[in-house]
Amino acid sequence: MNNTISNSRKLTEAAVMLAIATVLSLIKIIDLPYGGSVTIASMLPIVIIAYRLGVKWGLITGLVYGIIQQLLGLNTLSYATTWKAVVAIIILDYLVAFMVAGLGGIFRNRMKQPTALAAGALFICVLRYICHVITGATVWAGLSIPSTAALAYSLSYNATYMIPETIVTVFVGYYLGSVLDFGSDTLRPYVSASGSRVHPLKWIAGVVIAGGLVFDIIMVFSKLQNGETGEFDITGLGSVSWIPVIAVSLAVCGIAICLFSIASAKKND
């Protein structure tokens, strides 16, 4: 499919998805006080370009996305104490951390599209997490991260936002992959190998589940970082309002089950 699309069209598609990724990165579900945030799958548009157009276009788009994120986060460089720290932050926390999203399409032709996009999303989120952990344990040690046990602290600190970011990205990637065919020349509904399409009610169920997931992430993960020290604090679970979390989760599960059941029944009819 890649060879049948002109370079001008590829450039246009990459630019559009880059714009969408940038806008999504500005819509923060959780914005942690010492850096890091949870977005609505802001890296997924880059993953989709990588899946659709190949690794080359994915890496180029990811690099540009990393440059944009660096420009949006220029204030972080003011905390660096040496020029080497500035270079390390730019390269690892931004350029490489976001460019790796261009590897999100490597599972194409190895598994079905929904699974391939979900696996690609998981893969690039792990790579981005590793980049942030490295800078946290080195550059940020002694600044926003304690000098002692810097690696362990960086692992837990970055997990505070990367775990929910990964959950959202993987879920949305799988959902969109089961709805739209990103491997065809023109965007159209995804048809599985058995020739079946996702029923519209299942699309709605997916949106409902995503909404509930975002709500739970906001309610839970926003409490897992100490607002004064920035340290990951598991005791924050005690301050979570669990009644709304449980109520929303049960309501979402009930609605989703009903929608899936109705969709399956109509399909059988």
Side-chain angles (χ1 to χ4, degrees), residues 6 14-15 28 37 41 45-46 55 57 64 94 96-97 130 136 145 175 186 218 226 249 257:
S6 65
K28 299 177 180 180
S37 60
I46 313 300
V55 173
W57 279 90
V64 176
Y94 290 96
V96 176
I130 292 173
I145 286 181
Y175 175 67
T186 57
I218 293 174
N226 188 297
S249 299
I257 290 173

Side-chain angles (χ1 to χ4, degrees), residues 70-120:
Q70 172 61 85
L71 294 175
L72 293 174
L74 277 176
N75 63 312
T76 59
L77 299 180
S78 63
Y79 298 102
T81 55
T82 66
W83 69 268
K84 293 181 180 178
V86 171
V87 172
I89 292 172
I90 292 175
I91 293 176
L92 283 175
D93 262 349
Y94 290 96
L95 299 186
V96 176
F98 293 103
M99 185 175 70
V100 295
L103 298 174
I106 62 174
F107 296 103
R108 180 175 177 174
N109 300 326
R110 291 182 173 86
M111 53 188 72
K112 295 180 180 179
Q113 179 181 271
T115 308
L117 285 174

Side-chain angles (χ1 to χ4, degrees), residues 46-58:
I46 313 300
V47 174
I48 291 174
I49 280 296
Y51 180 89
R52 182 169 171 78
L53 303 181
V55 173
K56 175 184 175 182
W57 279 90

Side-chain angles (χ1 to χ4, degrees), residues 115-204:
T115 308
L117 285 174
L122 176 62
F123 178 62
I124 61 102
C125 284
V126 171
L127 293 180
R128 176 185 166 186
Y129 172 65
I130 292 173
C131 289
H132 293 320
V133 167
I134 292 174
T135 54
T138 54
V139 178
W140 295 109
L143 296 175
S144 61
I145 286 181
S147 299
T148 56
L151 178 58
Y153 187 99
S154 183
L155 285 167
S156 62
Y157 176 93
N158 288 291
T160 306
Y161 63 92
M162 281 308 302
I163 289 177
E165 179 79 9
T166 301
I167 292 172
V168 172
T169 306
V170 169
F171 176 82
V172 177
Y174 185 88
Y175 175 67
L176 287 181
S178 64
V179 173
L180 299 173
D181 186 359
F182 295 107
S184 60
D185 290 354
T186 57
L187 200 59
R188 57 191 179 189
Y190 175 72
V191 179
S192 66
S194 61
S196 61
R197 296 182 179 181
V198 177
H199 193 280
L201 287 179
K202 292 185 177 181
W203 298 0
I204 298 175

Side-chain angles (χ1 to χ4, degrees), residues 233-249:
D233 187 3
I234 192 66
T235 60
L237 290 175
S239 62
V240 175
S241 299
W242 287 106
I243 293 179
V245 171
I246 295 173
V248 169
S249 299

